[in-house]
Amino acid sequence: MKKILAASLILAFVLTGCNTFKGMGKDVSKAGDAVTNTAEKTSEEIRKN
């Protein structure tokens, strides 16, 4: 019984970790998109002047 409980807890931690890293990857991607968009807008403004 203890082995099943331990295996269940380990599995829960692994699955939670995967979701956390997936979410973090999405956040980092959104931040990268924001930086890219800002850089493109700044570049366009510089070219206009």
Side-chain angles (χ1 to χ4, degrees):
M1 184 69 175
K2 288 183 180 179
K3 289 182 182 181
I4 294 173
L5 179 60
S8 297
L9 288 173
I10 291 171
L11 181 62
F13 284 126
V14 169
L15 292 176
T16 300
C18 291
N19 288 333
T20 301
F21 282 112
K22 185 177 180 181
M24 186 176 72
K26 289 180 181 179
D27 291 340
V28 170
S29 178
K30 286 181 184 179
D33 290 342
V35 170
T36 300
N37 290 339
T38 301
E40 288 173 350
K41 288 177 184 177
T42 303
S43 178
E44 289 173 9
E45 289 296 320
I46 291 172
R47 289 182 188 155
K48 288 180 183 178
N49 295 327

